[in-house]
């Protein structure tokens, strides 16, 4: 494949992901849901396992602990999460969803499902399967690079 077309594919994919994230944010804003870009993955991680340490969350989300701290501070202000010291080790801060956070997750899930329907409008089932196969292949290639570093 020609180098420029590879760059064009990566650029297009990057633009699609940025547009998807922005559109999700706009749709949530329109509903009055105070969930900002970057926060849905954190909410989903907590819905899978509430009370994780900040260190665990940063590792799972592949972000720096300082970045996570900024996110959590903002999310505490909007009432989505609360931080509490670990009962056995006061140096460890654990993060918990609030009731408002659980409601926000539900709204995010429903909005994402709706956005997915619109994103793949007029795609055949076969086209969606092919796209999924290509994306998983790309994901595996990138994981191999990551693991070798």
């Amino acid at each position: 494949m020609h180098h420029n077309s590879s760059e064009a594919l990566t650029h297009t994919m990057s633009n699609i992901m940025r547009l998807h994230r922005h559109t999700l944010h706009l749709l949530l804003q329109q509903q009055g849901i105070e969930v900002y870009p970057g926060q849905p993955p954190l909410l989903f991680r907590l819905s899978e396992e509430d009370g994780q340490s900040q260190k665990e969350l940063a590792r799972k989300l592949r972000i720096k602990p300082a970045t996570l701290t900024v996110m959590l501070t903002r999310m505490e202000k909007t009432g989505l999460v609360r931080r509490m010291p670990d009962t056995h080790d006061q140096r460890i801060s654990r993060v918990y969803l609030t009731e408002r956070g659980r409601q926000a997750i539900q709204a995010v899930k429903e909005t994402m499902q709706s956005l997915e329907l619109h994103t793949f409008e007029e795609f055949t089932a076969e086209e969606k399967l092919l796209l999924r196969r290509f994306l998983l292949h790309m994901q595996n290639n990138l994981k191999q690079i990551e693991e070798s570093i």
Side-chain angles (χ1 to χ4, degrees), residues 16-55:
I16 289 168
M17 290 311 301
R18 199 172 11 260
L19 182 59
H20 182 275
R21 189 173 166 172
H22 180 71
T23 305
L24 176 63
H25 176 63
L26 291 175
L27 289 169
L28 290 170
Q29 259 187 333
Q30 186 180 49
Q31 298 173 62
I33 310 294
E34 286 187 273
V35 175
Y36 298 92
Q39 292 179 355
L42 176 54
L43 290 171
F44 290 137
R45 289 287 180 191
L46 288 171
S47 73
E48 292 164 4
E49 183 187 344
D50 209 13
Q52 294 179 66
S53 73
Q54 287 188 215
K55 187 176 182 179

Side-chain angles (χ1 to χ4, degrees):
M1 182 179 278
H2 190 266
H3 186 66
N4 286 340
S5 70
S6 176
E7 282 178 8
L9 283 173
T10 302
H11 183 74
T12 301
M13 194 168 66
S14 179
N15 283 340
I16 289 168
M17 290 311 301
R18 199 172 11 260
L19 182 59
H20 182 275
R21 189 173 166 172
H22 180 71
T23 305
L24 176 63
H25 176 63
L26 291 175
L27 289 169
L28 290 170
Q29 259 187 333
Q30 186 180 49
Q31 298 173 62
I33 310 294
E34 286 187 273
V35 175
Y36 298 92
Q39 292 179 355
L42 176 54
L43 290 171
F44 290 137
R45 289 287 180 191
L46 288 171
S47 73
E48 292 164 4
E49 183 187 344
D50 209 13
Q52 294 179 66
S53 73
Q54 287 188 215
K55 187 176 182 179
E56 289 172 306
L57 286 167
R59 183 181 48 78
K60 289 177 181 176
L61 294 169
R62 291 185 169 101
I63 60 175
K64 294 178 181 155
T67 303
L68 179 65
T69 299
V70 170
M71 283 175 67
L72 289 173
T73 300
R74 186 177 199 181
M75 292 172 80
E76 274 183 318
K77 285 179 182 170
T78 56
L80 298 173
V81 299
R82 71 182 193 296
R83 287 182 273 194
M84 297 176 61
D86 184 274
T87 51
H88 302 293
D89 187 345
Q90 299 292 304
R91 296 169 299 176
I92 298 172
S93 183
R94 299 209 170 267
V95 184
Y96 298 89
L97 285 168
T98 62
E99 185 53 40
R100 187 175 187 166
R102 285 185 231 296
Q103 291 169 357
I105 288 169
Q106 195 53 44
V108 170
K109 283 180 181 176
E110 290 168 8
T111 304
M112 287 179 80
Q113 287 171 346
S114 171
L115 184 56
E116 184 160 331
L117 286 173
H118 289 293
T119 301
F120 293 102
E121 248 174 9
E122 297 184 31
F123 275 65
T124 65
E126 194 175 79
E127 288 169 332
K128 287 189 271 191
L129 279 172
L130 260 178
L131 179 60
R132 179 176 169 72
R133 193 174 108 210
F134 294 150
L135 292 171
L136 288 172
H137 191 125
M138 291 167 62
Q139 180 177 300
N140 288 335
N141 290 346
L142 291 170
K143 279 184 179 177
Q144 285 176 2
I145 294 169
E146 183 183 54
E147 290 166 4
S148 71
I149 296 174

